[in-house]
């Protein structure tokens, strides 16, 4: 705090030299993967500049132009000896790394180079080119570290695809809702944070308030417990942006109506059904594109962020902007 605060760092005294330094003319540049763990007084003395992570296509280009030639040189391989197709690089990125940058990707490419050097030395091969295909990766890097998310093959009741932001980029998550005979209690599982639990209760109250609009028998809420679950229970999840996803899953369960499996959504919802803005739209849209989603429902307030989306995303995915939960229900439920 003393070093960064311009009001008091004009005579900053170092504890080692015990000599005052004038730091008031110094520009400090600090980096962090997330601001959540930075103490509030320290964060208050900084100007925050958000830099989004690389897209998967950008990582492939970085790997091809810079990382692979660098690692070939460091491992004594002639340039072009190791052949990695775009499909292979995509497989390395999605199955063996989960990051916003490319440090782990460079480590994996270095590991491939080492395996190639060993292969050439052991077999005494006078080979100028070794090609590694996606199906060969397990033999070089072992079993995949991460599982590839798969799109549901059919429309399901009480199951909706949501979008989330993490420090490693965007990801998809499935919200599941099931009705169990009981006393009208709400059960929340999946290691949800306090904000997400509040979003779930808000979503339930919203659906109950719209019971008459969707011909829902009010007794269904008093005679059944509503269990809301987000898979991968060991992974902490929090934030308000799953509000419309939870509301859609609840409505689907209580009306026994399937949800379009080719649609994903993100947005905070209020008790009156308004859809509020979210963050990390670019990363979330990229995650939806990887999964094969065809439509994304996003808040109308995020219209300004659409310009930042890659052209390929805007060509392959239909974006539905809304400020009302009714539009979400109309576009997602299969009637």
């Amino acid at each position: 705090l003393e070093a960064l605060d311009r009001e008091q760092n004009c005579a900053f005294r170092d504890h080692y030299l015990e000599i005052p330094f004038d730091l008031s003319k110094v520009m400090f540049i600090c980096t962090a993967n997330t601001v959540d763990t930075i103490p509030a007084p320290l964060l208050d003395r900084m100007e925050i500049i958000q830099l989004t992570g690389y897209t998967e296509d950008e990582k492939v280009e970085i790997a091809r132009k810079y990382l692979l030639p660098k690692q070939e040189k460091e491992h004594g391989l002639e340039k072009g000896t190791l052949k990695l197709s775009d499909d292979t690089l995509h497989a390395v990125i999605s199955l063996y790394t989960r990051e916003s940058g490319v440090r782990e990707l460079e480590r994996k490419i270095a590991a491939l180079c080492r395996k190639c050097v060993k292969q050439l030395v052991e077999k005494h091969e006078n080979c100028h080119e070794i090609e590694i295909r996606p199906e060969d990766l397990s033999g070089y890097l072992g079993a995949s570290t991460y599982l590839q998310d798969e799109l549901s093959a059919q429309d399901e009741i009480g199951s909706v695809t949501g979008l989330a932001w993490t420090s490693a980029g965007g990801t998809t998550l499935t919200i599941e809702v099931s009705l169990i005979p009981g006393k009208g209690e709400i059960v929340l599982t999946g290691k949800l944070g306090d904000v997400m639990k509040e979003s779930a209760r808000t979503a339930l109250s919203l659906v109950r308030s719209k019971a008459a609009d969707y011909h829902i028998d009010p007794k269904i809420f008093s005679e059944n417990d509503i269990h809301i679950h987000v898979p991968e229970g060991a992974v902490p999840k929090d934030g308000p942006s799953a509000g419309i996803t939870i509301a859609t899953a609840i409505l689907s369960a209580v009306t026994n109506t399937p949800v379009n499996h080719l649609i994903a959504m993100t947005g905070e919802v209020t008790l009156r059904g308004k859809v509020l803005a979210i963050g990390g739209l670019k990363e979330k849209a990229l995650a939806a594109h990887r999964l094969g989603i065809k439509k994304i429902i996003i808040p109308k307030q995020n219209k300004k962020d659409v310009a930042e989306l890659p052209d390929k995303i805007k060509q392959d995915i239909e974006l539905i902007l809304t400020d009302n939960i009714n539009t979400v229900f109309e576009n997602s439920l299969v009637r």
Side-chain angles (χ1 to χ4, degrees):
L1 290 180
E2 293 177 8
L4 292 174
D5 194 337
R6 293 181 62 186
E7 299 299 324
Q8 55 181 317
N9 67 3
C10 58
F12 175 75
R13 185 175 290 274
D14 178 70
H15 291 305
Y16 181 72
L17 297 177
E18 288 296 335
I19 298 175
F21 292 93
D22 183 3
L23 300 179
S24 60
K25 303 291 186 182
V26 178
M27 176 184 287
F28 293 91
I29 300 177
C30 311
T31 64
N33 289 331
T34 176
V35 298
D36 297 339
T37 53
I38 300 176
L42 184 61
L43 195 63
D44 188 53
R45 287 163 171 78
M46 298 179 176
E47 179 181 348
I48 308 301
I49 302 174
Q50 295 283 357
L51 300 176
T52 59
Y54 297 120
T55 67
E56 195 166 305
D57 290 336
E58 288 170 343
K59 290 181 181 180
V60 169
E61 285 301 309
I62 291 171
R64 182 168 305 290
K65 292 182 179 179
Y66 304 103
L67 303 183
L68 182 56
K70 174 185 174 183
Q71 291 302 321
E72 283 181 324
K73 182 179 179 180
E74 290 189 0
H75 288 82
L77 294 170
E78 293 184 8
K79 186 176 181 179
T81 301
L82 180 57
K83 294 290 184 182
L84 301 176
S85 66
D86 286 354
D87 289 340
T88 302
L89 288 173
H90 276 290
V92 173
I93 292 167
S94 60
L95 298 179
Y96 292 91
T97 68
R98 192 66 63 90
E99 57 181 348
S100 56
V102 292
R103 288 194 185 97
E104 188 62 26
L105 175 59
E106 184 171 9
R107 293 189 191 103
K108 295 302 180 185
I109 292 175
L112 292 175
C113 289
R114 288 194 295 272
K115 293 293 180 67
C116 288
V117 171
K118 181 182 178 184
Q119 182 177 328
L120 292 173
V121 172
E122 286 183 343
K123 296 184 179 180
H124 304 286
E125 295 179 358
N126 187 18
C127 179
H128 299 290
E129 184 177 302
I130 295 178
E131 181 179 1
I132 298 179
R133 295 168 295 182
E135 56 268 27
D136 301 329
L137 285 175
S138 60
Y140 287 88
L141 299 177
S144 58
T145 309
Y146 304 97
L147 296 176
Q148 188 75 41
D149 293 333
E150 294 184 1
L151 186 63
S152 177
Q154 60 186 10
D155 301 337
E156 297 181 11
I157 296 172
S159 179
V160 186
T161 301
L163 302 172
W165 181 92
T166 69
S167 58
T171 185
T172 57
L173 53 83
T174 303
I175 306 290
E176 299 176 345
V177 175
S178 179
L179 297 182
I180 308 167
K183 301 177 181 179
E185 297 180 354
I186 180 172
V187 181
L188 302 169
T189 56
K191 205 171 185 180
L192 310 183
D194 291 339
V195 176
M196 197 166 184
K197 289 179 180 178
E198 291 176 357
S199 294
R201 296 182 184 280
T202 301
L204 176 57
S205 297
L206 172 63
V207 173
R208 294 185 67 173
S209 69
K210 291 183 173 292
D213 298 340
Y214 291 92
H215 309 291
I216 303 171
D217 185 354
K219 291 182 180 180
I220 199 170
F221 297 105
S222 59
E223 297 176 353
N224 294 276
D225 291 341
I226 296 181
H227 189 160
I228 301 173
H229 177 66
V230 184
E232 295 188 34
V235 180
K237 310 166 191 75
D238 205 0
S241 61
I244 65 172
T245 314
I246 298 173
T248 304
I250 293 173
L251 184 64
S252 169
V254 297
T255 60
N256 205 37
T257 307
V259 177
N260 186 347
H261 69 284
L262 295 176
I263 202 166
M265 59 188 71
T266 178
E268 181 179 353
V269 70
T270 70
L271 272 176
R272 293 181 294 168
K274 290 187 176 182
V275 180
L276 305 182
I278 48 88
L281 178 61
K282 179 183 176 182
E283 290 82 359
K284 292 177 179 179
L286 288 168
H289 187 265
R290 286 196 303 268
L291 191 63
I293 294 294
K294 300 302 180 184
K295 291 183 181 181
I296 301 178
I297 301 177
I298 61 175
K300 187 175 287 185
Q301 294 176 359
N302 285 101
K303 185 176 182 180
K304 63 183 185 301
D305 301 319
V306 173
E308 299 179 5
L309 298 180
D311 292 336
K312 186 174 180 59
I313 299 292
K314 291 185 278 190
Q315 291 170 3
D316 296 347
I317 297 180
E318 178 185 351
L319 299 175
I320 302 172
L321 283 79
T322 181
D323 57 2
N324 191 282
I325 193 66
N326 291 329
T327 306
V328 177
F329 294 157
E330 291 168 4
N331 284 277
S332 58
L333 297 177
V334 181
R335 297 184 178 278

